[in-house]
Amino acid sequence: MHKIVIKGGVALAGEVQVSGAKNAVLPLLFATLLSAGQSEICNVPALRDIATAEALLNTLGATTLRVDDCCRIDATKIQSIEAPYDLVRTMRASVLVLGPLLARCGHARVSLPGGCAIGARPIDQHLKGFEALGAKITLDHGYVEAQTEGLRGAHIMFDMPTVGGTENLLMATALAEGDSIIENAAREPEIVQLAEALNSMGAKIEGAGTARIHIQGVSSLQPLNISVMPDRIEAGTFMIAAAMTKGNLLVRGACQQDQEALVQKMLEAGVSIDPEQDGLRVIGPHRLTPVDIRTSAFPGFPTDMQAQFMAMMALADGTSRVSENVFENRFMHVCELQRLGADISIDGHSAVIHGVKQLRGAPVMATDLRASACLILAGLAAENTTEVSRIYHLDRGYERIEEKLAGLGANIERVPE
Ligand code: EPZ
């Protein structure tokens, strides 16, 4: 076990390259199951979740090979249709094999992911969509089993925009017989890339990125060759690092169009953000202005940036309110921020933050992926030393973050716990 030790107070400076997007790579890896051939996905970050996804592909019979930042997948032979509990419980995105296995093999058996730190995270919308396509769904011994003699296109209406649900149903309908419509679809940029990837394999998908997607089923798909988009959440995390440390950073790969809501709120907070070269130039102000945020599905403020933004508001010159409307338990970073001197109180789905002049270093504990990033950010701005433990959460979604931050002048290192 390791921990990260930070001596705060350094104004970050220089430039940082954002890695490939974790939440784009995962569905793309599983999309390769739709084609009996050799695919290649590049700009793949070295993350625990990606390793788990590759292990799952191997369990199903696909071979995977890492060559530099590329992953080569050969899904010619599928020898199993079962995603076992020990893999699914470590990475909920494993449920994204349901759509491809149903479409390719007519059968899938996936352990129910169970809840996670940030919420129950059910998959009822995924299952409702598969049933609309004619699949028979049964639940037993903690597994969901889906079977079909052949998926038939349907009109699918989600109760709420679901990223995973939209991705699973895009992959299933791509090979269904006839046309499908997905209403109330999620609109995240990662979904747009998945649709582009499927279309490059021979699928016929229109409207990805809007709430209404039209899919004309085809009989087979070619292998995939694609380079993954930059990670907008990693980019946002570095942008907030600049804002909190009065820094001056060029975040390469940051794309304003993919994070308009975050950029607008940071501009309101007094941060300077300008497009420069292939990224965004971010300059932190002397004192941050308090700003309220309400998380919602894209293009609203991303829930995956809520914890990081709260850390920034902990230093603002006044009171702000953060409302978490996507997940039911995504405030576990609050009590850890309080240990660093933040003045935050929780009121149901909202947190009220009274900004303080200075945070003070202390030992804190990560509880989930984005909470761990928030604590790193707070440690960078705090005086004295902050130690963040349980950083295995961090390694799920950030590639070598302490090296990248050290490259920007931060006094940060990973040490054995
Ligand atoms: C994806 O999770 C992301 N993960 C999450 O990122 C992200 O927070 C989330 O989308 C929202 O943007 C990946 O892409 C691998 P949802 P997902 O289905 O697909 C409810 C990170 O930090 N819901 O859009 O699981 C659900 O409970 C992770 O990188 C149902 O009720 O999220 C939640 O309240 C964390 N029934 C809301 O919808 C369903 O069948 C949004 O969930 C599906 C979802």
Side-chain angles (χ1 to χ4, degrees):
M1 294 271 268
H2 284 77
K3 63 185 174 183
I4 283 187
V5 180
I6 305 166
K7 287 188 180 54
V10 175
L12 300 185
E15 59 183 72
V16 64
Q17 177 61 53
V18 169
S19 300
K22 166 180 83 81
N23 291 349
V25 176
L26 292 171
L28 291 174
L29 283 169
F30 297 131
T32 64
L33 293 169
L34 290 163
S35 167
Q38 298 201 3
S39 296
E40 182 174 75
I41 303 173
C42 292
N43 194 29
V44 176
L47 299 174
R48 276 183 52 213
D49 274 6
I50 307 300
T52 305
E54 289 167 350
L56 177 51
L57 286 170
N58 296 155
T59 304
L60 300 173
T63 61
T64 56
L65 175 68
R66 269 303 188 106
V67 178
D68 301 328
D69 74 348
C70 296
C71 181
R72 290 181 187 156
I73 304 104
D74 185 339
T76 306
K77 284 198 290 298
I78 302 289
Q79 284 147 352
S80 164
I81 52 90
E82 178 165 316
Y85 176 62
D86 65 320
L87 282 175
V88 178
R89 71 193 170 94
T90 59
M91 188 191 65
R92 331 174 23 77
S94 307
V95 296
L96 293 176
V97 299
L98 273 168
L101 288 175
L102 252 186
R104 169 97 184 266
C105 311
H107 191 187
R109 188 173 149 74
V110 174
S111 165
L112 279 168
C116 78
I118 62 177
R121 301 182 72 183
I123 60 168
D124 58 300
Q125 301 296 305
H126 303 230
L127 304 181
K128 181 175 101 167
F130 295 137
E131 286 179 321
L133 299 176
K136 182 172 174 299
I137 304 288
T138 50
L139 301 177
D140 79 304
H141 298 301
Y143 276 77
V144 58
E145 188 135 14
Q147 290 184 287
T148 177
E149 299 305 314
L151 296 175
R152 286 185 311 285
H155 195 135
I156 295 156
M157 164 66 87
F158 284 136
D159 297 352
M160 80 292 291
T162 154
V163 171
T166 303
E167 291 166 342
N168 241 336
L169 270 299
L170 273 179
M171 293 188 280
T173 54
L175 286 179
E177 189 186 329
D179 284 24
S180 298
I181 298 278
I182 302 175
E183 301 273 13
N184 206 9
R187 300 167 52 187
E188 274 69 3
E190 293 76 21
I191 285 170
V192 174
Q193 180 160 59
L194 175 61
E196 287 167 355
L198 292 169
N199 284 340
S200 74
M201 296 166 75
K204 293 193 172 75
I205 299 170
E206 292 169 331
T210 74
R212 191 175 197 275
I213 305 178
H214 174 220
I215 306 101
Q216 289 171 270
V218 295
S219 54
S220 66
L221 291 171
Q222 298 307 310
L224 172 59
N225 268 286
I226 196 165
S227 182
V228 178
M229 63 190 282
D231 192 316
R232 62 191 167 95
I233 305 301
E234 184 193 13
T237 304
F238 281 112
M239 289 165 64
I240 289 193
M244 289 179 71
T245 60
K246 303 182 180 65
N248 183 330
L249 283 193
L250 174 60
V251 183
R252 287 189 178 283
C255 166
Q256 180 153 348
Q257 168 193 337
D258 286 348
Q259 41 200 2
E260 200 60 61
L262 173 69
V263 169
Q264 290 312 317
K265 288 295 180 180
M266 290 184 73
L267 290 171
E268 284 173 36
V271 182
S272 156
I273 301 175
D274 294 292
E276 183 179 314
Q277 296 175 38
D278 61 346
L280 293 173
R281 168 72 57 187
V282 185
I283 300 173
H286 180 68
R287 190 81 201 271
L288 289 152
T289 303
V291 172
D292 296 346
I293 60 165
R294 301 176 53 77
T295 67
S296 66
F298 192 89
F301 191 95
T303 176
D304 292 349
M305 284 301 305
Q306 178 259 105
Q308 299 93 310
F309 198 89
M310 185 186 290
M312 186 171 81
M313 288 297 99
L315 288 170
D317 185 14
T319 301
S320 57
R321 195 176 186 87
V322 169
S323 172
E324 173 53 62
N325 305 303
V326 177
F327 290 111
E328 61 268 33
N329 185 35
R330 206 168 194 176
F331 282 152
M332 284 173 301
H333 42 283
V334 169
C335 45
E336 299 303 314
L337 286 173
Q338 288 165 339
R339 287 179 50 75
L340 299 172
D343 180 353
I344 305 172
S345 56
I346 294 178
D347 166 20
H349 276 267
S350 293
V352 179
I353 302 110
H354 300 290
V356 295
K357 277 213 180 333
Q358 182 68 53
L359 294 172
R360 294 181 308 281
V364 287
M365 186 176 73
T367 51
D368 60 85
L369 169 54
R370 304 306 172 180
S372 39
C374 142
L375 296 174
I376 299 282
L377 294 174
L380 291 170
E383 62 185 9
N384 304 328
T385 299
T386 297
E387 298 189 354
V388 183
S389 61
R390 299 194 181 184
I391 52 167
Y392 54 85
H393 291 292
L394 190 68
D395 295 336
R396 297 192 51 179
Y398 290 92
E399 186 180 34
R400 299 177 294 104
I401 193 168
E402 72 278 4
E403 290 174 26
K404 292 187 178 183
L405 288 168
L408 299 172
N411 188 329
I412 182 171
E413 58 177 342
R414 179 186 292 248
V415 298
E417 188 126 38

